[in-house]
């Protein structure tokens, strides 16, 4: 499931985005919420709502009031009735204000203070409050202060988050001015989640906490923690120490698996001690985030079997496997003997002691049955149990685990493969192979969580920008996440009641750094937050973009590396009517104002505003960024063609993949300046099944040569039944070569670029070759005739040189 080898199945750049256009549904949207009866209350005009209430996710109901509230260091934060949890939430609010505005109002934990303070923010927990859930709240803001009320601490926390967003919307320091208003708010769904894969690449405890903190500030409440897989076992189990002694380390494929100084194997290791787990769970609970652990079974078990081979399919295994350095679908399964269930139950006993969550995730996906089918003992077990096939055996396996979890008052949740062969009545299905599994499960009466690929798979890249971090293609954009509808249209209203909510999945095969994790998660998780919290009819894309402007500033102020891919300026070379080169600028969402400088100068909000393509006269340098309200919404991007030949340069992002196979943007561990170097390796984009690129519409009249920068990555992909789809071309020459063809990928190459020098270089290598005279516009096809699929060769960029 993690890798998912299922191959089947605007606005102008000169204008600001419009504010929220649709009126918010009031009492009809949340019947249990009360209208304000203040005669001065008015609906917030659509064109002003994004400025009045710049909050993500969008609250369910907003009503404007007259005046404004000035929140400053003299404001009292009062815990009503001296409630300890209310006081703690008030203290958290004060600390967040300190970090972003530079002051922390005093907290009155007694609940009885009077006088002195001109303004007061009351934090009130009233179990009898007429609200729809423990996560609902009301927020009243007036000239004399504010009052947040909820019936439980979670709702109070979310109300405090909303007030914090209102207080930090201008990005300034010092006192905050907040428009008077009344907000009545509650979530649309109970499960609002984000999954982090710590098995493939490990994150520190502080990094995990940073992600959880951002989740809480977006009112996401379920942290699904993927802790075990073929590539690593990341949780300490005291009864089975080899799970971490052996299972937490692997020798990575490629250059990162070798010490650059000695050439010796260099293990990649990491796991969380039980004390660290408790610390993370406690930290999350203080932010009203539930941590749901995932312990994979019966598949994705190679790391566990490497540690304890006796729990694998022993009569098939010839030797204990290593912890896998490969990505994809592996064939190692737990066996079905009673001793293995004792082991799994022992593991789950320690897991349930660490995680108080109602749900325990057991994976259940991509359990390739080859070893079970080849095992005489497993086949005998299947016959003795009267099971029809291996699918039924997995169902029996899941049922046995579900019964055990039931004795601990826990509920089993698994990926949608657990539907195959039948499912225990209390099991919950997480649908990842599209929404089909969710529909099937809900119709059968099972609770479901939507986490479909590719819609909510944050391992996908979010743009085709050249500086986009590695990930899977095609792009899952900010807008596509925002437009995701949680409830499948096929479900009836009664069936839809089984939809608990949705989550995004952040798999990390290709994201080694936490910065890449942060960029993959946000702001797309902000878009998801609105999909799972706000009323369906109230969401509006342009209003979201407008409210995202201060949110992007909050990320920066908190030191959080949110992606600006949606707003990053892209440069494209066009030709005018006389054939002269022009540079066009745009961003993905068509939002904001692009400002630029050419040549020397400092880019700022006062720089020239881009309106139409500009003449290109290399050598030159363009810098550009997207601005809103005079503030940058993206980091500057640079385009600096040195000569006319540079205008023909296209990175792999600008080349077309020949087939729609498994297209990945990858990054090997060898830096661009070689082993031992410091610069990061450039992204390499290739179809794992058939590496083949098309340079479309090449103007060949004046072209005399081609320059191609290439790289290599280890072919560390387990493709299971899809392995025969991998295309290997016979070697052209002793070291193989890159072949270039014109018009199609068939026929005789027009250029052959030997790979000898590239084979000696773990970084990037530039290859050159002359081209025969060609006329007009031609598509150029580039393929590697290397004689093997390992390493996986990839094109990083192509430049056409003049005659």
């Amino acid at each position: 499931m993690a890798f998912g080898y299922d191959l089947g199945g605007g606005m102008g750049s000169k204008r600001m985005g419009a504010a929220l256009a649709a009126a918010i549904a009031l009492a009809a949207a949340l019947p249990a919420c009360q209208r304000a009866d203040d005669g001065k209350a008015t609906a917030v005009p659509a064109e002003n709502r994004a400025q009045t209430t710049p909050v993500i996710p969008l609250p369910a109901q907003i009503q404007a009031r007259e005046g404004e509230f000035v929140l400053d260091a003299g404001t009292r934060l009062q815990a009503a009735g001296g409630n300890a949890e209310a006081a703690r939430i008030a203290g958290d609010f004060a600390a967040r204000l300190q970090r972003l505005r530079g002051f922390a109002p005093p907290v009155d934990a007694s609940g009885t203070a009077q006088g002195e303070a001109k303004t007061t923010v009351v934090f009130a927990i009233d179990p009898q409050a007429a609200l729809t859930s423990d996560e609902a709240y009301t927020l009243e803001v007036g000239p004399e202060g504010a009052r947040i009320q909820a019936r439980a601490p979670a709702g109070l926390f979310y109300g405090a988050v909303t007030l914090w967003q209102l207080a930090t919307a201008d990005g300034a320091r010092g006192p905050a001015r907040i428009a008077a208003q009344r907000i009545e708010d509650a979530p649309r769904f109970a499960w609002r989640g984000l999954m982090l894969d710590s098995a493939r690449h490990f994150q520190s405890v502080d990094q995990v906490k940073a992600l959880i903190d951002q989740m809480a500030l977006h009112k996401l409440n379920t942290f699904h923690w993927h802790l075990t897989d073929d590539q690593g076992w990341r949780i300490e189990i005291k009864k089975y120490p080899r799970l971490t002694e052996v299972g937490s380390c692997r020798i990575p494929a490629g250059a990162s698996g070798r010490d650059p100084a000695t050439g010796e194997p260099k293990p990649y290791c990491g796991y969380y001690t039980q004390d660290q787990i408790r610390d993370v769970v406690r930290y999350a609970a203080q932010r009203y985030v539930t941590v749901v652990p995932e312990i994979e079974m019966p598949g994705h078990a190679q790391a566990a079997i490497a540690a304890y081979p006796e729990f694998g399919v022993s009569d098939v295994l010839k030797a204990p496997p290593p912890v896998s350095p490969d990505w994809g679908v592996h064939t190692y399964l737990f066996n079905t003997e009673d001793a293995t269930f004792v082991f799994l139950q022992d593991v789950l006993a320690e897991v349930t002691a660490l995680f108080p969550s109602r749900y325990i995730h057991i994976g259940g996906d991509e359990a390739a049955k080859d070893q079970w089918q080849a095992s005489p003992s497993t086949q005998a077990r299947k016959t003795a149990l009267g099971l029809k096939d291996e699918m039924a055996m997995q169902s029996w396996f899941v049922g046995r685990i579900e019964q055990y979890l039931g004795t601990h008052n826990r509920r089993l949740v698994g990926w949608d493969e657990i539907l195959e062969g039948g499912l225990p009545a209390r099991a919950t299905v997480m649908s990842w192979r599209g929404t089909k599994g969710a529909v099937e499960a809900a119709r059968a009466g099972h609770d479901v969580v939507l986490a479909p690929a590719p819609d909510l798979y944050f391992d996908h890249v979010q743009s085709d920008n050249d500086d986009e971090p590695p990930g899977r293609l095609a792009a899952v954009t900010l807008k596509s996440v925002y437009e995701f509808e949680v409830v499948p249209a096929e479900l009836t209203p009664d069936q839809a009641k089984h939809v608990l909510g949705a989550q995004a999945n952040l798999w990390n095969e290709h994201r080694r750094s936490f910065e890449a994790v942060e960029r993959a998660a946000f702001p797309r998780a902000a878009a998801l937050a609105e999909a799972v919290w706000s009323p369906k009819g109230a969401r509006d894309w342009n209003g979201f973009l407008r409210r995202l402007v201060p949110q992007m500033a909050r990320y920066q102020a908190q030191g959080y590396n949110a992606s600006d891919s949606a707003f990053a300026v892209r440069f494209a070379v066009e030709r005018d009517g006389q054939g002269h080169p022009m540079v066009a600028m745009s961003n993905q969402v068509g939002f904001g104002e692009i400002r630029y400088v050419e040549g020397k100068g400092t880019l700022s909000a006062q720089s020239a505003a881009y309106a139409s393509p500009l003449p290109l006269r290399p050598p030159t340098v363009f810098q550009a960024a997207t601005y809103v309200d005079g503030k940058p919404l993206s980091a500057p991007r640079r385009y600096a063609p040195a000569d006319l030949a540079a205008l023909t340069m296209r990175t792999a992002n600008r080349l077309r993949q020949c087939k729609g196979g498994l297209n990945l943007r990858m990054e090997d561990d060898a830096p661009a300046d070689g082993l031992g170097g410091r610069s990061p390796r450039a992204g390499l984009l290739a179809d794992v099944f058939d590496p083949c690129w098309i340079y479309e519409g090449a103007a060949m009249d004046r072209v005399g040569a081609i320059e191609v920068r290439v790289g290599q990555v280890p072919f560390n992909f387990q493709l299971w039944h899809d392995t025969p789809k991998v295309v290997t071309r016979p070697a052209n020459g002793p070291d193989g070569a890159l072949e270039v063809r014109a018009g199609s990928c068939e026929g005789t190459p027009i250029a052959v670029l030997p790979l000898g020098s590239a084979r000696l270089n773990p970084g990037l290598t530039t290859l050159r070759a002359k081209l025969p005279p060609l006329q007009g516009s031609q598509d150029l096809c580039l393929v590697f005739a290397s004689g093997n699929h390992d390493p996986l060769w990839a094109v990083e960029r192509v430049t056409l040189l003049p005659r």
Side-chain angles (χ1 to χ4, degrees):
M1 199 288 309
F3 211 83
Y5 284 106
D6 181 4
L7 300 179
M11 296 172 64
S13 60
K14 289 183 64 181
R15 302 183 61 189
M16 299 295 181
L20 193 60
I24 294 180
L26 295 178
L30 289 172
C33 289
Q34 299 177 340
R35 293 177 186 265
D37 56 5
D38 187 331
K40 296 182 180 179
T42 59
V44 179
E47 65 272 17
N48 296 331
R49 194 171 298 123
Q51 288 84 1
T52 302
T53 312
V55 172
I56 295 175
L58 181 69
Q61 299 183 35
I62 306 168
Q63 291 179 317
R65 297 281 178 88
E66 292 183 357
E68 65 178 10
F69 163 42
V70 179
L71 174 62
D72 58 23
T75 299
R76 178 192 298 125
L77 307 182
Q78 186 171 19
N83 184 284
E85 196 68 359
R88 190 188 66 78
I89 292 169
D92 178 79
F93 174 80
R96 294 185 189 281
L97 277 182
Q98 175 70 58
R99 287 195 289 272
L100 264 64
R101 297 213 71 104
F103 66 88
V107 176
D108 167 27
S110 71
T112 60
Q114 297 180 1
E116 293 186 10
K118 293 182 180 180
T119 55
T120 300
V121 178
V122 177
F123 294 75
I125 296 176
D126 179 4
Q128 305 306 314
L131 294 168
T132 56
S133 74
D134 285 353
E135 295 183 308
Y137 67 91
T138 60
L139 170 60
E140 299 265 6
V141 181
E144 300 304 316
R147 179 181 178 87
I148 310 168
Q149 180 167 291
R151 74 184 197 193
L156 189 68
F157 177 81
Y158 292 139
V161 167
T162 294
L163 185 60
W164 173 77
Q165 288 194 16
L166 293 172
T168 57
D170 62 3
R173 306 282 284 182
R177 296 183 177 274
I178 303 171
Q181 58 194 285
R182 175 182 172 83
I183 292 174
E184 298 181 19
D185 203 7
R188 185 181 173 203
F189 294 100
W191 188 300
R192 307 181 303 279
L194 184 64
M195 187 225 72
L196 176 66
D197 172 13
S198 296
R200 276 53 176 270
H201 283 104
F202 182 75
Q203 302 86 32
S204 72
V205 167
D206 286 344
Q207 290 168 343
V208 173
K209 287 180 176 180
L211 186 64
I212 290 172
D213 198 52
Q214 285 301 318
M215 288 179 61
L217 294 177
H218 291 76
K219 303 184 176 75
L220 297 172
N221 67 350
T222 305
F223 176 58
H224 172 180
W225 204 359
H226 188 78
L227 290 166
T228 73
D229 216 300
D230 300 297
Q231 299 82 10
W233 184 283
R234 305 295 179 205
I235 175 172
E236 178 189 25
I237 302 297
K238 292 186 179 296
K239 192 168 184 178
Y240 298 94
R242 286 178 59 82
L243 286 171
T244 48
E245 291 172 0
V246 174
S248 70
C249 292
R250 67 174 182 263
I251 305 298
S256 66
R258 302 187 302 274
D259 185 303
T262 66
E264 295 297 313
K266 183 180 178 182
Y268 179 96
C269 303
Y271 71 91
Y272 305 100
T273 67
Q274 293 198 356
D275 284 343
Q276 289 174 322
I277 294 281
R278 293 186 189 96
D279 183 32
V280 169
V281 169
R282 181 170 51 250
Y283 185 88
Q286 291 172 346
R287 288 151 182 79
Y288 305 96
V289 173
T290 298
V291 184
V292 175
E294 182 180 358
I295 308 297
E296 280 269 15
M297 61 184 80
H300 285 292
Q302 187 167 331
I305 295 170
Y308 292 96
E310 62 269 30
F311 301 128
V313 186
S314 302
D315 53 352
V316 172
L317 299 180
K318 295 180 180 179
V323 178
S324 181
D326 298 338
W327 319 128
V329 180
H330 296 59
T331 57
Y332 289 91
L333 301 184
F334 288 119
N335 67 44
T336 58
E337 301 302 318
D338 289 340
T340 299
F341 284 97
V342 171
F343 161 73
L344 292 172
Q345 289 169 8
D346 288 343
V347 169
L348 291 173
E350 295 193 33
V351 168
T352 54
L354 292 169
F355 296 92
S357 58
R358 181 185 185 192
Y359 293 92
I360 302 294
H361 205 302
I362 58 95
D365 63 299
E366 295 180 336
K369 308 299 191 297
D370 303 49
Q371 292 184 1
W372 279 3
Q373 291 168 343
S375 164
S377 63
T378 305
Q379 291 302 305
R381 179 79 153 168
K382 183 183 72 172
T383 300
L385 292 168
L387 300 174
K388 176 183 176 182
D389 54 24
E390 285 72 32
M391 294 295 186
M393 175 158 274
Q394 179 167 343
S395 178
W396 167 82
F397 190 110
V398 170
R400 190 160 171 175
I401 296 297
E402 192 275 338
Q403 289 179 352
Y404 174 79
L405 289 174
T407 65
H408 286 69
N409 198 30
R410 305 302 178 89
R411 297 193 67 170
L412 178 148
V413 57
W415 303 111
D416 56 58
E417 283 96 329
I418 66 174
L419 283 164
E420 299 166 358
L423 188 61
R426 296 177 68 253
T428 297
V429 173
M430 187 170 281
S431 184
W432 77 274
R433 295 178 299 178
T435 60
K436 181 180 177 182
V439 171
E440 180 183 344
R443 285 175 174 170
H446 295 284
D447 287 345
V448 299
V449 177
L450 277 293
D455 310 65
L456 298 182
Y457 263 48
F458 286 4
D459 57 324
H460 279 246
V461 299
Q462 48 198 317
S463 78
D464 62 356
N465 299 339
D466 288 337
D467 58 359
E468 182 72 22
R472 187 165 178 173
L473 278 68
V476 172
T477 66
L478 181 67
K479 186 174 185 180
S480 71
V481 175
Y482 188 81
E483 293 177 341
F484 176 76
E485 172 47 40
V486 178
V487 179
E490 303 96 311
L491 296 181
T492 68
D494 283 343
Q495 293 165 349
K497 294 177 182 177
H498 287 289
V499 176
L500 301 180
Q503 71 175 37
N505 294 334
L506 184 48
W507 303 105
N508 284 324
E509 290 96 331
H510 305 291
R511 289 190 168 90
R512 296 189 310 277
S513 73
F514 185 64
E515 179 181 351
V517 170
E518 292 176 303
R519 291 180 64 184
F522 291 95
R524 287 188 295 188
L528 173 66
E530 199 140 302
V532 293
W533 180 282
S534 305
K536 179 181 178 181
R539 282 187 285 151
D540 176 84
W541 168 241
N542 289 327
F544 171 74
L545 288 177
R546 196 65 184 81
R547 286 177 285 115
L548 192 58
V549 174
Q551 183 58 44
M552 293 295 288
R554 290 187 198 100
Y555 293 136
Q556 186 174 20
Q558 295 172 87
Y560 198 86
N561 295 296
S563 173
D564 67 350
S565 292
F567 312 105
V569 175
R570 289 183 42 165
F571 301 93
V573 177
E574 300 179 352
R575 300 278 174 174
D576 65 12
Q578 289 72 47
H580 299 137
M582 311 286 286
V583 61
M585 303 181 197
S586 63
N587 64 36
Q588 186 186 78
V589 293
F591 176 74
E593 186 175 55
I594 293 176
R595 293 191 174 268
Y596 72 94
V597 292
E598 182 179 8
K600 296 181 179 179
T602 302
L603 183 65
S604 72
Q606 283 70 49
S607 298
Y610 172 79
S612 60
L614 303 165
L616 256 178
R617 295 176 289 266
T620 189
V621 177
F622 283 97
Q623 292 186 75
T626 299
Y627 287 79
V628 174
D629 296 340
K631 299 177 182 178
L633 193 54
S634 70
R637 296 313 199 266
R638 188 171 182 269
Y639 179 54
D643 51 33
L644 289 175
L647 303 185
T648 71
M649 189 277 291
R650 295 186 191 176
T651 61
N653 286 335
R654 305 288 179 259
L655 305 176
R656 176 168 62 84
Q657 300 294 299
C658 299
K659 297 179 181 177
L662 180 57
N663 295 323
L664 297 175
R665 182 174 169 84
M666 297 165 286
E667 182 183 32
D668 193 15
D669 289 308
D673 49 0
L675 289 177
R678 295 184 178 182
S679 63
R681 182 81 178 260
L684 297 174
L685 195 157
D687 177 356
V688 169
F689 289 112
D690 186 6
C692 175
W693 299 261
I694 302 292
Y695 186 121
E696 294 182 297
M700 300 300 296
D701 295 281
R702 298 182 180 86
V703 173
I706 188 170
E707 181 177 276
V708 186
R709 197 153 77 179
V710 303
Q712 55 179 300
V713 295
F715 193 92
N716 59 324
F717 304 100
Q718 295 284 338
L719 302 176
W720 194 31
H721 292 164
D722 287 325
T723 300
K725 297 179 182 178
V726 176
V727 174
T728 300
R729 295 177 173 84
N732 187 335
D735 295 312
L738 172 66
E739 298 178 342
V740 183
R741 293 175 172 81
S744 74
C745 293
E746 308 300 327
T748 303
I750 62 171
V752 175
L753 292 73
L755 292 174
S757 60
R759 287 191 179 275
L760 301 175
N761 181 13
L764 300 177
T765 303
T766 299
L767 308 176
R768 297 179 182 85
K770 292 184 178 180
L771 294 177
L774 295 174
Q775 302 299 316
S777 178
Q778 301 267 5
D779 286 350
L780 302 181
C781 175
L782 296 87
V783 297
F784 288 95
S786 61
N788 204 328
H789 61 267
D790 190 9
L792 173 62
W793 291 97
V795 170
E796 193 270 336
R797 64 182 55 191
V798 178
T799 304
L800 303 178
L801 304 174
R803 294 175 188 169

Coordinates of all heavy atoms in Angstrom, one line a residue, residues 498-524:
H498 N -21.3 5.8 8.0 CA -20.1 5.0 8.4 C -18.8 5.7 8.0 O -17.7 5.2 8.4 CB -20.2 3.7 7.7 CG -21.2 2.7 8.3 ND1 -21.0 2.2 9.5 CD2 -22.4 2.3 7.8 CE1 -22.1 1.4 9.8 NE2 -22.9 1.5 8.8
V499 N -18.8 6.8 7.4 CA -17.6 7.6 7.0 C -17.1 8.4 8.2 O -17.7 9.4 8.6 CB -17.8 8.5 5.8 CG1 -16.6 9.3 5.5 CG2 -18.3 7.7 4.6
L500 N -16.0 7.9 8.8 CA -15.5 8.6 10.0 C -14.8 9.9 9.6 O -14.7 10.8 10.4 CB -14.5 7.7 10.7 CG -15.1 6.3 11.2 CD1 -14.0 5.6 11.9 CD2 -16.3 6.6 12.1
G501 N -14.2 9.9 8.4 CA -13.5 11.1 8.0 C -12.4 10.7 7.0 O -12.6 9.7 6.2
A502 N -11.3 11.4 7.0 CA -10.3 11.2 6.0 C -8.9 11.6 6.5 O -8.8 12.3 7.5 CB -10.6 12.0 4.7
Q503 N -7.9 11.1 5.9 CA -6.5 11.4 6.2 C -5.6 11.4 5.0 O -5.9 10.8 4.0 CB -5.9 10.5 7.3 CG -5.6 9.1 6.7 CD -4.9 8.2 7.8 OE1 -5.2 8.3 9.0 NE2 -4.0 7.4 7.3
A504 N -4.6 12.2 5.0 CA -3.5 12.2 4.0 C -2.4 11.2 4.5 O -2.1 11.1 5.7 CB -3.0 13.5 3.7
N505 N -1.8 10.6 3.5 CA -0.7 9.6 3.8 C 0.6 10.2 3.2 O 0.7 10.5 2.1 CB -1.0 8.3 3.2 CG -2.2 7.6 3.8 OD1 -2.5 7.9 5.0 ND2 -2.9 6.7 3.1
L506 N 1.6 10.3 4.1 CA 2.9 10.8 3.7 C 3.9 9.7 3.8 O 4.6 9.5 4.8 CB 3.3 12.0 4.7 CG 4.6 12.7 4.4 CD1 4.7 13.1 2.9 CD2 4.6 14.0 5.2
W507 N 4.0 8.9 2.7 CA 5.0 7.9 2.6 C 6.4 8.5 2.3 O 6.5 9.5 1.6 CB 4.6 6.9 1.5 CG 3.3 6.2 1.8 CD1 2.1 6.5 1.1 CD2 3.0 5.3 2.8 NE1 1.1 5.8 1.6 CE2 1.6 5.0 2.6 CE3 3.7 4.6 3.7 CZ2 0.9 4.1 3.5 CZ3 3.1 3.7 4.6 CH2 1.7 3.4 4.4
N508 N 7.5 7.9 2.8 CA 8.8 8.5 2.8 C 9.9 7.7 2.1 O 11.0 7.9 2.5 CB 9.1 8.9 4.2 CG 8.4 10.2 4.7 OD1 8.1 11.1 3.9 ND2 8.0 10.2 5.9
E509 N 9.6 6.9 1.2 CA 10.6 6.2 0.5 C 11.7 7.2 -0.1 O 12.9 7.0 -0.1 CB 10.1 5.4 -0.7 CG 9.3 4.1 -0.3 CD 7.8 4.4 -0.2 OE1 7.4 5.6 0.0 OE2 7.0 3.5 -0.4
H510 N 11.2 8.3 -0.7 CA 12.0 9.2 -1.4 C 12.2 10.6 -0.7 O 12.7 11.5 -1.3 CB 11.4 9.4 -2.8 CG 11.2 8.2 -3.5 ND1 12.3 7.4 -4.0 CD2 10.1 7.5 -3.9 CE1 11.8 6.3 -4.6 NE2 10.5 6.4 -4.5
R511 N 11.9 10.6 0.6 CA 12.1 11.8 1.4 C 13.0 11.5 2.6 O 12.5 11.2 3.6 CB 10.8 12.5 1.7 CG 10.0 13.0 0.5 CD 8.8 13.8 1.0 NE 8.3 14.6 -0.2 CZ 7.4 14.1 -1.0 NH1 6.9 12.9 -0.8 NH2 6.9 14.9 -2.0
R512 N 14.2 11.7 2.4 CA 15.2 11.4 3.5 C 15.2 12.5 4.6 O 15.4 12.2 5.8 CB 16.6 11.2 3.0 CG 16.7 10.0 2.1 CD 18.2 9.7 1.7 NE 18.9 10.9 1.3 CZ 18.9 11.4 0.1 NH1 18.1 10.8 -0.8 NH2 19.5 12.4 -0.3
S513 N 15.0 13.8 4.2 CA 15.1 14.9 5.1 C 13.8 15.3 5.7 O 12.7 15.1 5.0 CB 15.8 16.1 4.4 OG 14.8 16.7 3.6
F514 N 13.8 15.8 6.9 CA 12.5 16.2 7.5 C 12.0 17.5 6.8 O 10.8 17.7 6.7 CB 12.7 16.5 9.0 CG 11.4 16.9 9.7 CD1 10.4 15.9 9.8 CD2 11.2 18.1 10.2 CE1 9.2 16.2 10.4 CE2 10.0 18.4 10.8 CZ 9.0 17.5 10.9
E515 N 12.9 18.3 6.3 CA 12.5 19.5 5.5 C 11.6 19.0 4.3 O 10.6 19.7 4.0 CB 13.7 20.3 5.0 CG 13.3 21.5 4.2 CD 14.4 22.3 3.6 OE1 15.6 22.0 4.0 OE2 14.2 23.2 2.8
A516 N 12.0 17.9 3.7 CA 11.2 17.4 2.6 C 9.8 16.9 3.1 O 8.8 17.1 2.4 CB 11.9 16.3 1.8
V517 N 9.8 16.4 4.3 CA 8.5 15.9 4.9 C 7.6 17.1 5.1 O 6.4 17.1 4.8 CB 8.8 15.1 6.2 CG1 7.5 14.9 6.9 CG2 9.5 13.8 5.9
E518 N 8.2 18.2 5.7 CA 7.4 19.4 6.0 C 6.8 20.0 4.7 O 5.7 20.3 4.7 CB 8.3 20.4 6.7 CG 8.8 20.0 8.1 CD 9.7 21.0 8.7 OE1 10.8 21.3 8.1 OE2 9.4 21.6 9.8
R519 N 7.7 20.0 3.7 CA 7.2 20.6 2.5 C 6.1 19.8 1.8 O 5.2 20.3 1.2 CB 8.4 20.8 1.5 CG 9.4 21.9 2.0 CD 10.5 22.1 1.0 NE 10.1 22.5 -0.3 CZ 10.9 22.7 -1.4 NH1 12.2 22.4 -1.2 NH2 10.4 23.1 -2.5
A520 N 6.2 18.5 2.0 CA 5.2 17.6 1.4 C 3.9 17.7 2.1 O 2.8 17.6 1.5 CB 5.7 16.2 1.4
A521 N 3.9 18.0 3.4 CA 2.7 18.0 4.3 C 2.0 19.3 4.2 O 0.7 19.2 4.0 CB 3.1 17.7 5.7
F522 N 2.6 20.4 4.3 CA 1.9 21.7 4.3 C 2.4 22.6 3.2 O 3.6 22.5 2.8 CB 2.2 22.4 5.6 CG 1.5 21.7 6.8 CD1 2.2 20.7 7.6 CD2 0.2 21.9 7.1 CE1 1.6 20.1 8.6 CE2 -0.4 21.3 8.1 CZ 0.3 20.3 8.9
P523 N 1.5 23.3 2.5 CA 0.1 23.6 3.0 C -1.0 22.7 2.5 O -2.1 22.9 2.7 CB -0.1 25.0 2.4 CG 0.6 25.0 1.1 CD 1.9 24.2 1.4
R524 N -0.6 21.5 1.9 CA -1.6 20.6 1.4 C -2.5 20.1 2.6 O -3.7 19.9 2.4 CB -1.0 19.5 0.6 CG -0.5 19.8 -0.8 CD -0.1 18.7 -1.6 NE 1.0 17.9 -1.1 CZ 1.7 17.0 -1.7 NH1 1.3 16.6 -2.9 NH2 2.7 16.4 -1.2

